[in-house]
Amino acid sequence: MAVDFDAMRALPIQGYLDYKGIDYTVEHNNLRLVEHDSLIVNLDKNQFYWNSRQKSGDLGNFIEAYDDISSKEAWVKWAEYSRYYNGQEITVKQKYAERPKNDYKFDFAKWRTADTTRNSQEYLVNERGLDPNFVSNLAQAGFIMQGKPRKDRETGEWQKPALLFPWYDENGKVVGLDQQGTSVDFGKFGKRGTEKKVAAGADTRYGYNFRTGNGADELIVFEAPIDALSFAQMRFNGIKNKNVTLLSLSGTDHQKVLAELDRMNKANGHLPKQLIMATDADLAGYKAADVFDTLQFEGMTNLRAVPKDGKDWNDQLKSGKNDFELISMAENHERLSALQAFADKAKPTQLTDNKVIKDEKKIAVAGSGRAKTRYDREKDRELRKRQNREGNEKIIKDALTRTAAYKNDPVEIQRYLDFVAQGQNYSPRNTMLIYGQRQDATVVMGYKQFAERGIQVKKGEKGMKIFGAPTQLQSIVDENGQKIYWRDATPEQRQAAKAGSLETRKTLHYPVETVFDIKQTNATVDQLPKLLPNRPVNLQTEVSPEQLDRIYQTLKDYAENQQKVRVIDDAPESVQFLASNKPMTSNGVAKGALVIDKKNPDNASIVLRHDLPVTDRISTLAHEMGHASLHRNTKTDSHPTHIKELQAELTSYVVLKNMGIEPGDGSERYMSEWTDGLKKLADYPDKDNTILADVTKASTAITSFLSDKLSNGEAIQYEQRVDRSQQAAKKAEQQTLQDQANETQGRTR
């Protein structure tokens, strides 16, 4: 029976994505894959375009490219889907029916734009590192615009207005535009984190462009508008007095370059003297430039510009360096070949009968004498995934085990608390994981976070494993009651789940992520101050009464407004109250106490002696705030009194250390009291390893609040807080309040 190839090509790619459970987002008449955001499916043409890999075609081509398999193996999956699709009801097929020809054309007059560009300018300055004056000039000249806030169709939440990059034609008419979202959502937009697309109906012969002079002598080509602007800012002095045109492809479509060259030739009577391909310094960027290796026009030289620090020109800008390479197209081709060869090294090779066999599907299965099948390779991939997961789990388990063992060593506990006091603001579990893997860590970020700041992780560095933000994963409960993640389910199980015959559940999943310490990067001394956590005040050097009072008032603000505990610090009768109700300490009458109403635990107060000097006020208040975070509303038998007292002291130590108080002087008075407590802690059973974790949580919440309110002893104004993560601080505070247990008596120093 002859195969109807036209019918096979007509099978909807969108239907196959749904059939396989491949996630995508809808952008007008296009689909964009979440996992590979440069892979676009055009619904009108039923064709895919994988820009970063220079691949395109029908469903068969898609399967071959997406699964990285041979055409024969792709045909098996293609035919399997054909049988499934042709067996569906007509109502299912109608969902994927061929769309009518869309004659929609871009009309900028119908676009809703905002009267202000404030949000867009803040995004370019704060997130992309562009100069505020440069950005302001772009806005005034109409080279950046701002859309209107809109609701997300899926969640109903309001999104920040998008940044718009208008495409002007030779007559000054806007014939298209790039949209750059400014709301970050990694769950929806994948690794990019923001929405990025071209306006529907845009004239694809054009792209985002601007020029200096008449723009006739030089054409510089980029992949994205951000790259063009970053290059223009860095090289402004070099191009401002020249006739240069800068063009963004919004991808790697070389046809736009040819169209622009044609327009320049007609407008100026000649081609530019130089065509410079300034695409990204990655495989796709070198491929896009390589197209012009053999394209030669009389009087025009083809060159390649490559950023030295980072993948693209925005990385180069944020690195603070102005270096780049200008190479020939021949050298570009050589580098492309080298990159391609490096990528091909991932494919296994084996010698058989003195011949090198490069194709994985032809490699014999060890010891069997037969060729590897598709099933064998899928098993190998699953094995590698499982081994990777098991390896990460072992790293995490070992790190937490080491950290839990620190409670047996007073010196290690103090080192750990010093680490927490740096103010990294990770969750307690991740803080312990980082310290358990690298005790000398100071500034810890992911690879991408460093890259966004123009910093590269050194080659060969081994990262630390931590838990990422939780995500909801869908799972299927099979006939035997076993839970199966959607990604691991068979097509039949997925269809049964969609039909409702199998139960589905949402499972909270914490993915394992890799982070690095600043010492594992090429960061310079000049970059370090911007990366270090904010130190609210350094009491070692800054001891003015105003600063001390400001730090005390900020702590008091946290106690009263975040912990909801009243602070009584100006009552003369407080001395008599403490003397009558609390045991004497080695220093005389107790300096303070947390007082809880047993009948109404919400009614709590911190009582401080009114005659304390401000430094004692700070340390005593921090101690009692530790009790308020950890022991308010807790059951009386949750921990013995001496353990609770030690936890409050450890919390106070972190807070004071964060403000620059080193052991000695003020802290020396109570450091000796740790010794007995820590010895008892080593013998105290802590089944869930919560004692230090609770201290970490409580102290991090307080230091985060301090860092958000103060910098070098001065109050932070709202405009100065663009780089602070207020959400992280609030989250930590909320965690602390939620995790407080039941009730306790007032504790003293």
Side-chain angles (χ1 to χ4, degrees):
M1 180 177 178
V3 177
D4 187 344
F5 286 100
D6 289 338
M8 291 290 285
R9 294 189 185 97
L11 291 172
I13 298 179
Q14 183 182 14
Y16 183 80
L17 298 179
D18 292 338
Y19 170 69
K20 285 292 187 180
I22 300 172
D23 294 330
Y24 57 82
T25 59
V26 180
E27 300 178 358
H28 196 62
N29 287 346
N30 292 328
L31 308 178
R32 185 185 297 274
L33 267 62
V34 171
E35 184 180 4
H36 302 287
D37 58 9
S38 67
L39 198 161
I40 305 294
V41 177
N42 185 297
L43 296 176
D44 294 330
K45 298 179 180 179
N46 195 33
Q47 295 274 307
F48 85 97
Y49 305 89
W50 200 339
N51 295 321
S52 66
R53 302 193 184 181
Q54 301 288 295
K55 294 182 179 181
S56 62
D58 56 25
L59 177 56
N61 302 129
F62 171 83
I63 297 172
E64 182 179 347
Y66 184 80
D67 290 339
D68 192 20
I69 56 179
S70 68
S71 57
K72 289 184 179 179
E73 292 172 319
W75 175 260
V76 174
K77 292 190 174 185
W78 198 1
E80 180 184 87
Y81 173 65
S82 175
R83 291 190 292 272
Y84 164 80
Y85 179 78
N86 290 324
Q88 297 300 299
E89 299 290 338
I90 188 65
T91 54
V92 176
K93 294 181 179 180
Q94 286 175 346
K95 175 183 177 182
Y96 307 115
E98 182 179 356
R99 298 186 174 206
K101 188 67 177 178
N102 189 345
D103 295 325
Y104 175 81
K105 292 184 179 180
F106 177 86
D107 183 359
F108 188 60
K110 296 180 180 179
W111 271 75
R112 298 173 64 244
T113 57
D115 295 331
T116 177
T117 57
R118 179 179 177 181
N119 184 78
S120 297
Q121 291 188 57
E122 288 179 349
Y123 173 81
L124 289 174
V125 172
N126 299 331
E127 299 296 330
R128 294 296 190 164
L130 293 176
D131 180 77
N133 293 328
F134 178 56
V135 173
S136 179
N137 291 335
L138 289 170
Q140 292 176 13
F143 284 107
I144 61 168
M145 300 179 183
Q146 184 169 300
K148 293 277 190 176
R150 62 179 180 82
K151 278 189 176 181
D152 187 285
R153 293 181 179 179
E154 297 179 9
T155 65
E157 296 178 352
W158 281 98
Q159 303 292 301
K160 292 181 180 179
L163 168 61
L164 309 179
F165 297 101
W167 305 354
Y168 290 99
D169 68 6
E170 57 270 35
N171 299 313
K173 179 183 177 183
V174 179
V175 294
L177 56 82
D178 289 88
Q179 290 177 265
Q180 170 66 63
T182 56
S183 291
V184 178
D185 187 341
F186 291 103
K188 183 174 183 179
F189 300 116
K191 63 182 180 181
R192 181 194 298 129
T194 57
E195 186 177 30
K196 184 179 179 182
K197 61 183 180 180
V198 171
D203 190 336
T204 55
R205 297 172 300 167
Y206 294 84
Y208 182 67
N209 67 92
F210 53 94
R211 58 185 54 86
T212 59
N214 61 19
D217 296 335
E218 196 171 292
L219 175 61
I220 310 178
V221 180
F222 305 87
E223 289 187 30
I226 293 289
D227 293 324
L229 295 178
S230 299
F231 182 91
Q233 178 175 311
M234 288 188 294
R235 307 299 298 173
F236 181 72
N237 290 332
I239 66 175
K240 65 180 180 180
N241 296 321
K242 296 182 178 180
N243 299 316
V244 180
T245 296
L246 294 91
L247 171 69
S248 164
L249 303 180
S250 301
T252 55
D253 183 5
H254 70 277
Q255 295 295 333
K256 287 188 178 183
V257 182
L258 299 177
E260 182 66 26
L261 288 172
D262 184 57
R263 287 191 293 271
M264 294 176 73
N265 191 32
K266 291 178 180 177
N268 306 310
H270 61 83
L271 289 169
K273 297 175 183 178
Q274 285 188 333
L275 166 64
I276 300 178
M277 296 299 296
T279 47
D280 292 354
D282 58 9
L283 188 61
Y286 280 102
K287 281 184 177 180
D290 190 56
V291 175
F292 297 89
D293 184 26
T294 57
L295 184 65
Q296 299 292 331
F297 292 104
E298 185 177 355
M300 185 177 77
T301 303
N302 299 345
L303 296 171
R304 169 80 159 107
V306 185
K308 280 189 175 181
D309 296 277
K311 181 179 76 71
D312 56 38
W313 295 98
N314 191 237
D315 286 347
Q316 179 74 67
L317 173 69
K318 290 190 288 188
S319 75
K321 301 177 183 178
N322 199 6
D323 298 332
F324 72 96
E325 296 179 276
L326 197 60
I327 62 178
S328 67
M329 285 297 180
E331 187 172 351
N332 179 84
H333 183 75
E334 292 176 2
R335 293 190 185 186
L336 171 61
S337 300
L339 283 171
Q340 190 65 64
F342 180 78
D344 291 341
K345 284 183 180 179
K347 296 181 180 179
T349 59
Q350 180 174 321
L351 290 175
T352 304
D353 296 332
N354 297 323
K355 294 180 180 179
V356 179
I357 301 177
K358 295 184 178 180
D359 193 344
E360 184 186 28
K361 66 179 179 290
K362 295 179 181 178
I363 298 176
V365 176
S368 69
R370 63 180 177 83
K372 275 193 174 183
T373 65
R374 176 169 57 93
Y375 175 73
D376 292 325
R377 290 194 297 280
E378 289 180 352
K379 283 181 63 179
D380 289 344
R381 283 194 289 269
E382 288 302 316
L383 177 61
R384 288 193 295 271
K385 288 181 180 178
R386 186 172 70 252
Q387 290 174 336
N388 186 53
R389 285 197 296 267
E390 291 173 351
N392 288 341
E393 289 170 359
K394 185 177 185 304
I395 291 172
I396 288 174
K397 182 179 179 180
D398 290 346
L400 290 177
T401 300
R402 281 194 297 273
T403 309
Y406 293 153
K407 78 182 187 71
N408 299 322
D409 186 344
V411 175
E412 284 292 350
I413 286 183
Q414 186 173 346
R415 288 175 181 168
Y416 172 73
L417 296 176
D418 290 346
F419 175 78
V420 177
Q422 292 178 144
Q424 288 279 339
N425 200 25
Y426 279 95
S427 69
R429 182 167 60 170
N430 280 342
T431 299
M432 289 183 166
L433 281 173
I434 293 169
Y435 188 73
Q437 295 170 78
R438 193 179 182 104
Q439 294 186 6
D440 65 343
T442 51
V443 177
V444 177
M445 295 183 189
Y447 183 93
K448 185 176 180 180
Q449 289 175 294
F450 276 125
E452 288 174 345
R453 291 158 174 80
I455 298 171
Q456 292 297 308
V457 175
K458 297 175 184 176
K459 185 177 180 180
E461 290 289 347
K462 183 179 180 181
M464 296 167 281
K465 303 299 181 182
I466 66 171
F467 289 106
T471 59
Q472 291 277 359
L473 289 187
Q474 189 173 14
S475 59
I476 298 172
V477 181
D478 66 11
E479 298 85 349
N480 300 318
Q482 296 295 316
K483 184 177 68 174
I484 303 170
Y485 282 121
W486 187 270
R487 66 183 179 222
D488 300 324
T490 64
E492 293 76 15
Q493 288 172 325
R494 291 176 180 173
Q495 290 303 317
K498 291 178 180 178
S501 56
L502 283 181
E503 180 187 354
T504 60
R505 295 177 184 172
K506 292 288 188 181
T507 304
L508 195 62
H509 172 68
Y510 289 84
V512 175
E513 295 181 352
T514 303
V515 293
F516 300 87
D517 181 56
I518 189 72
K519 290 183 285 294
Q520 297 175 278
T521 73
N522 66 351
T524 65
V525 175
D526 293 335
Q527 291 171 312
L528 191 59
K530 298 178 181 178
L531 299 172
L532 289 171
N534 175 48
R535 181 62 65 88
V537 65
N538 191 335
L539 296 183
Q540 284 184 313
T541 57
E542 299 163 2
V543 293
S544 71
E546 293 80 12
Q547 289 174 329
L548 291 174
D549 184 66
R550 199 171 290 123
I551 199 77
Y552 173 75
Q553 293 300 331
T554 305
L555 282 173
K556 184 176 178 180
D557 179 28
Y558 181 87
E560 295 189 330
N561 294 306
Q562 303 298 321
Q563 295 180 318
K564 306 301 181 184
V565 176
R566 189 163 54 110
V567 177
I568 302 172
D569 57 5
D570 58 357
E573 59 271 21
S574 60
V575 176
Q576 183 59 44
F577 172 83
L578 292 169
S580 302
N581 294 277
K582 302 301 168 188
M584 295 284 285
T585 71
S586 58
N587 295 312
V589 177
K591 296 179 181 180
L594 173 67
V595 181
I596 305 292
D597 184 342
K598 290 184 177 181
K599 295 182 180 179
N600 181 15
D602 290 335
N603 183 12
S605 301
I606 291 176
V607 179
L608 303 179
R609 284 177 50 167
H610 76 288
D611 57 350
L612 293 178
V614 67
T615 50
D616 280 357
R617 278 192 182 191
I618 291 172
S619 58
T620 306
L621 179 57
H623 178 97
E624 303 306 336
M625 287 168 64
H627 277 306
S629 292
L630 295 167
H631 308 133
R632 185 179 178 188
N633 300 331
T634 58
K635 294 180 180 179
T636 56
D637 59 350
S638 60
H639 287 308
T641 299
H642 72 276
I643 294 296
K644 292 179 181 178
E645 197 64 36
L646 181 63
Q647 282 187 301
E649 200 57 55
L650 300 184
T651 302
S652 174
Y653 175 82
V654 172
V655 174
L656 298 178
K657 181 82 175 185
N658 181 255
M659 293 185 287
I661 296 180
E662 299 292 338
D665 295 334
S667 59
E668 184 66 28
R669 293 193 298 270
Y670 61 81
M671 285 292 292
S672 60
E673 297 178 10
W674 284 22
T675 307
D676 292 338
L678 292 176
K679 287 179 181 178
K680 294 177 181 178
L681 178 61
D683 299 326
Y684 181 72
D686 187 14
K687 181 180 179 182
D688 298 321
N689 299 319
T690 60
I691 291 178
L692 286 182
D694 290 344
V695 170
T696 304
K697 184 187 298 182
S699 58
T700 299
I702 298 172
T703 57
S704 296
F705 184 84
L706 288 170
S707 295
D708 194 46
K709 297 291 186 181
L710 298 173
S711 179
N712 296 323
E714 301 296 331
I716 298 177
Q717 301 301 317
Y718 180 79
E719 291 78 11
Q720 294 175 307
R721 282 193 247 168
V722 295
D723 293 326
R724 299 300 304 156
S725 178
Q726 297 183 44
Q727 290 182 346
K730 290 180 180 178
K731 182 178 178 181
E733 293 159 16
Q734 291 167 357
Q735 269 189 325
T736 300
L737 291 174
Q738 291 169 358
D739 291 345
Q740 289 172 352
N742 291 321
E743 66 183 36
T744 185
Q745 296 291 330
R747 299 302 176 204
T748 64
R749 185 169 295 279

